[in-house]
Amino acid sequence: MISFENVIENESLKTSLITQVNSDKLHHAHLFVGKMGMGTLPIAMAFLKYIYCSDRKTNDSCGSCSNCVKIDKLSHIDIHFTMPSFKIDKLSGELMEDFRAIYSEKSGIFDSKDWMDHHGQYNATIRAKEISDILNNMSMTAHGNGYKTQVIWMVEEMGLESNKILKILEEPNSETIFILIAESMERLLPTIISRCNIHRMESISDTFIDNYVREHRSKASEDILVNAVRFANGDLIEAIRYIDDFDSEFSLEQALRKFMRGLTKFETRKFQNINFMLESCEDLAGQNKQLQVKFLEFMLYFVHQLMRYKTTRTCSASEVLMAVIQHYESIVELDQIEAWMKIVDNNIRAVYGNANMKISFVSLGIELGRILNRKEFEMISTKL
Ligand SMILES: [Zn+2]
């Protein structure tokens, strides 16, 4: 049962949504933006429930009228859902059972990785075929007395196809509502953004995440729990994944150490260390997109911690990372750190741009090696 009462934090957003519904000046297109681990889907659903509720209270939906009950089950006849699908022939309509199952299992807090894991398939996108369903649905009048709603979960996966819903967003039929849900606005068309009432999620507080991970991952060590909160950056899903990573075969920390070990004369002081980097690139290229991005984000986190340590002598990294940070701290200058962050950022874009990831990772390694070992690299090139 998801209503404003049990949506995590985000109090000012809740208040503004409640005020808008009660003011009778409801905007017809809403864009909720925030990491799914901040509760973006639950707040959007609590908002819809409040709009549809036939016994609405001052601050929340009643939770028991037939509209509330149906919305809780994601089975309200006037609310149509669209979400990323896979290369198999099923479109959103046929995936609803799966969507309901995961929504109920995870109380609405799941992201595209969970969605893909659930299907054992990757590279999910919102396909062109969905558009006609959306247009069709939104051209009909509601079965009940209320609104006709289209929810698009992970709308950034729609790409250029989203152009085709512009007209209906701009000139909607009366009594229609669009709820667009995205993790970031970076990949959304500006024309889409400009037509929406934008609701930005706030990061979940460290205190909440700390309590949450202690409750849900009570067996994890104190060190891992503390680091999970720091690494999560306000995202509940990331906190849990950070902890679970330590049980799975792929550990971000280990992957980073192996990669970095290949770039420098970190331990043996021999160039042949580069094999570690190449092996690490093989491993990374074999992972799915989400994990590849996560690795790169983890590297950014590492660089931030390195910079922090360099300037303030304190940082929040784990003990293992701390050892690596202390090694680099004295040999890496701030301009190198800046260049480092830029190329990692470019590589994150490459993951989304469907680049050949093995080549991308190797070129990241070589470029980074050149930045970090500039003296040695300069020496090599004058000899050539
Ligand atoms: Zn109700």
Side-chain angles (χ1 to χ4, degrees):
M1 307 302 110
I2 291 166
S3 57
F4 284 125
E5 190 193 356
N6 45 40
V7 164
I8 304 162
E9 301 182 342
N10 283 281
E11 297 306 329
S12 61
L13 178 53
K14 284 182 205 170
T15 309
S16 90
L17 294 170
I18 290 166
T19 309
Q20 187 176 147
V21 177
N22 289 324
S23 71
D24 285 330
K25 282 182 192 150
L26 191 62
H27 202 281
H28 74 276
H30 299 266
L31 171 61
F32 288 84
V33 188
K35 291 288 193 177
M36 293 303 141
M38 294 171 183
T40 318
L41 178 59
I43 206 166
M45 293 313 298
F47 178 51
L48 268 184
K49 222 166 124 178
Y50 195 56
I51 294 169
Y52 276 80
C53 180
S54 44
D55 190 16
R56 192 189 300 154
K57 313 290 176 203
T58 328
N59 287 319
D60 218 336
S61 46
C62 76
S64 53
C65 71
S66 74
N67 285 332
C68 281
V69 171
K70 283 173 193 159
I71 292 174
D72 275 332
K73 291 183 188 158
L74 304 189
S75 61
H76 196 289
I77 195 164
D78 289 320
I79 303 177
H80 187 257
F81 287 85
T82 300
M83 76 273 318
S85 63
F86 308 91
K87 277 184 182 142
I88 46 170
D89 233 349
K90 283 182 181 170
L91 290 176
S92 295
E94 294 158 286
L95 293 173
M96 261 327 275
E97 274 314 308
D98 297 287
F99 199 73
R100 283 183 192 116
I102 194 168
Y103 180 81
S104 141
E105 181 197 328
K106 294 183 179 284
S107 305
I109 300 185
F110 59 98
D111 65 4
S112 48
K113 179 174 187 306
D114 294 315
W115 182 234
M116 293 192 283
D117 285 348
H118 181 88
H119 290 88
Q121 298 201 56
Y122 297 90
N123 296 323
T125 53
I126 295 180
R127 291 181 292 162
K129 287 179 188 169
E130 304 272 2
I131 307 291
S132 55
D133 275 2
I134 294 175
L135 298 179
N136 206 10
N137 177 57
M138 293 309 269
S139 66
M140 292 189 287
T141 51
H143 292 263
N145 298 324
Y147 292 96
K148 192 89 189 163
T149 295
Q150 171 67 50
V151 179
I152 307 180
W153 182 70
M154 296 300 297
V155 63
E156 60 262 65
E157 299 302 337
M158 209 169 198
L160 288 174
E161 293 300 327
S162 53
N163 253 323
K164 295 178 185 157
I165 61 164
L166 271 182
K167 196 172 179 309
I168 198 163
L169 269 184
E170 194 161 55
E171 298 161 24
N173 302 321
S174 57
E175 310 291 279
T176 58
I177 299 171
F178 273 90
I179 302 280
L180 309 183
I181 301 173
E183 289 213 299
S184 92
M185 298 210 281
E186 212 168 283
R187 290 191 291 141
L188 295 180
L189 297 177
T191 40
I192 293 280
I193 297 171
S194 67
R195 280 159 180 79
C196 293
N197 192 185
I198 298 165
H199 310 296
R200 284 176 205 275
M201 300 299 292
E202 282 166 17
S203 303
I204 307 294
S205 69
D206 285 356
T207 316
F208 187 95
I209 296 181
D210 190 75
N211 289 330
Y212 187 88
V213 293
R214 281 173 200 283
E215 185 188 333
H216 290 83
R217 293 293 184 275
S218 54
K219 287 188 182 140
S221 72
E222 180 65 22
D223 193 36
I224 289 175
L225 289 172
V226 169
N227 278 320
V229 178
R230 288 168 177 164
F231 180 65
N233 210 4
D235 180 335
L236 226 40
I237 296 175
E238 284 304 328
I240 291 294
R241 282 207 187 122
Y242 181 91
I243 297 167
D244 292 347
D245 251 0
F246 287 89
D247 301 328
S248 72
E249 286 172 23
F250 187 85
S251 150
L252 286 175
E253 222 162 63
Q254 278 166 21
L256 181 76
R257 290 186 71 203
K258 191 169 175 187
F259 189 87
M260 297 306 297
R261 192 175 168 199
L263 303 184
T264 59
K265 283 120 201 173
F266 185 33
E267 277 163 25
T268 64
R269 299 205 151 256
K270 281 190 182 137
F271 191 67
Q272 69 209 37
N273 271 355
I274 203 157
N275 282 334
F276 288 112
M277 186 271 280
L278 294 175
E279 261 175 45
S280 172
C281 290
E282 289 264 356
D283 295 347
L284 288 163
Q287 305 293 335
N288 63 53
K289 270 188 185 198
Q290 269 66 21
L291 209 71
Q292 290 169 347
V293 172
K294 208 173 158 195
F295 171 77
L296 294 166
E297 285 173 349
F298 188 70
M299 189 181 269
L300 277 183
Y301 164 80
F302 170 78
V303 181
H304 286 160
Q305 297 305 322
L306 174 63
M307 191 160 62
R308 217 172 122 190
Y309 186 77
K310 207 171 163 56
T311 50
T312 65
R313 311 312 295 174
T314 57
C315 78
S316 62
S318 71
E319 233 171 83
V320 179
L321 275 193
M322 195 60 198
V324 190
I325 286 174
Q326 281 169 339
H327 172 81
Y328 279 103
E329 184 272 315
S330 59
I331 55 171
V332 178
E333 297 303 327
L334 285 174
D335 66 309
Q336 289 170 299
I337 292 179
E338 190 191 356
W340 189 344
M341 289 197 285
K342 271 189 193 147
I343 55 171
V344 176
D345 192 49
N346 285 342
N347 267 262
I348 293 177
R349 285 165 212 271
V351 180
Y352 287 122
N354 286 322
N356 177 326
M357 285 318 293
K358 193 172 161 195
I359 296 176
S360 289
F361 280 120
V362 173
S363 77
L364 167 72
I366 293 174
E367 217 178 320
L368 247 181
R370 195 176 291 146
I371 293 167
L372 298 176
N373 299 283
R374 55 186 162 197
K375 283 209 182 81
E376 286 84 351
F377 270 82
E378 275 163 19
M379 219 164 66
I380 290 166
S381 39
T382 50
K383 276 184 193 164
L384 287 172

